Amino acid sequence: MADQNHSFEFLNGEGTWDKGVLQHNFTSKALGSDLSINGKFPFADLNKDSVTRVDWKNLDLEKLPLKKGQAWSPSQGMVSGNVSLTGPIPKESETFPGKLKGALKFDVQNLKLLNNDSQSISFNQLEGSGELVNNKLNYRIKGDPFNGTLQSDGRISLSTSKASAPVLNNRIEFSNLDLNQLPLSEKPDKGSLSGTIQLNGPLPDPENFLTGKLKIDTTFKLNDIKMSNPPLDIQ
């Protein structure tokens, strides 16, 4: 995918300059998606609020110029959504996002994620929303993996100091996941899994995930488990 060439079918734009503020509006079609970008930027006084909103519809995830060989890259799926940012541009002395406020919504249809060894995870639908206010990102994600349901609600508190890690407070609920569809080499012939996962604490580095200070609590319930090798039958 990374070696594909991508072009705009068209790109239209207009802008208005008034009292040091550039108001802009662009529309385009690329990657099979209708795109629009509009907002205003206060060149004359960066302490004033800038506004940016991006909308896209039916973006083909398979056409994204992603690096080859990445784990769980999308091999199919169409995504629509929008993202907006409002507020002054963060200063060099500030950590992102500074005083910026933001919002995000997305809806993905027929998503398929492919691993390096050709294992896959599919979603008929995956949707989410998020809101960034006062250095806190509140979010909700819902999907239907493995013929079940999954919902993640949480908050990430972003530090105003580069020395401190973001703090996560997240609850994941899943119900009736089909164990036979899990991307594992050894898996049950049938069975379902339901439960919860609660994550609280500072986000660890990926290489130190198990030795970090993130607290993980989980509950689960297995139903109608049957395996042929090794033999196992749980009602």
Side-chain angles (χ1 to χ4, degrees):
M1 287 186 289
D3 295 332
Q4 296 178 353
N5 294 320
H6 303 284
S7 60
F8 294 93
E9 294 184 25
F10 67 85
L11 176 62
N12 298 327
E14 60 182 8
T16 302
W17 179 273
D18 184 29
K19 297 179 181 179
V21 177
L22 175 64
Q23 298 195 38
H24 57 84
N25 184 35
F26 299 96
T27 58
S28 177
K29 189 174 185 69
L31 303 178
S33 174
D34 296 316
L35 303 172
S36 69
I37 304 173
N38 59 77
K40 65 178 183 179
F41 193 86
F43 281 94
D45 187 354
L46 296 182
N47 291 316
K48 293 183 177 181
D49 286 355
S50 63
V51 178
T52 300
R53 179 180 172 92
V54 181
D55 293 85
W56 66 94
K57 185 177 181 180
N58 295 329
L59 189 151
D60 189 344
L61 293 174
E62 187 181 7
K63 295 181 179 179
L64 289 177
L66 301 176
K67 183 179 179 181
K68 288 186 176 181
Q70 288 185 324
W72 303 118
S73 296
S75 61
Q76 71 177 51
M78 306 290 284
V79 58
S80 301
N82 59 73
V83 60
S84 62
L85 289 172
T86 303
I89 302 299
K91 300 177 182 179
E92 290 186 9
S93 58
E94 293 180 307
T95 57
F96 185 84
K99 297 178 181 178
L100 282 175
K101 298 179 181 179
L104 167 69
K105 293 184 69 175
F106 67 87
D107 183 1
V108 188
Q109 300 290 328
N110 301 318
L111 174 64
K112 185 176 182 180
L113 302 175
L114 196 64
N115 202 0
N116 296 331
D117 52 7
S118 298
Q119 295 175 331
S120 64
I121 298 176
S122 297
F123 295 81
N124 291 323
Q125 183 174 28
L126 179 67
E127 62 183 49
S129 61
E131 184 178 25
L132 176 63
V133 180
N134 295 328
N135 291 301
K136 291 182 174 60
L137 175 62
N138 298 291
Y139 61 88
R140 168 174 286 188
I141 301 173
K142 296 172 62 177
D144 56 359
F146 313 123
N147 285 341
T149 61
L150 182 146
Q151 178 168 313
S152 175
D153 294 273
R155 180 180 68 250
I156 299 176
S157 299
L158 304 173
S159 174
T160 57
S161 169
K162 295 181 180 180
S164 300
V167 177
L168 175 66
N169 185 336
N170 177 242
R171 179 177 175 84
I172 302 170
E173 298 181 2
F174 48 93
S175 178
N176 298 319
L177 304 185
D178 186 349
L179 295 178
N180 183 251
Q181 294 192 22
L182 293 179
L184 302 174
S185 57
E186 299 292 337
K187 54 190 175 183
D189 300 320
K190 62 173 294 188
S192 65
L193 172 67
S194 300
T196 64
I197 301 174
Q198 184 74 40
L199 305 171
N200 288 285
L203 285 172
D205 295 328
E207 59 270 18
N208 298 321
F209 186 83
L210 296 179
T211 58
K213 296 181 180 180
L214 184 67
K215 182 180 179 182
I216 304 174
D217 295 304
T218 183
T219 64
F220 67 89
K221 181 179 180 180
L222 297 169
N223 291 307
D224 299 326
I225 306 299
K226 185 175 182 179
M227 293 185 68
S228 54
N229 187 22
L232 181 65
D233 194 343
I234 302 176
Q235 301 298 319

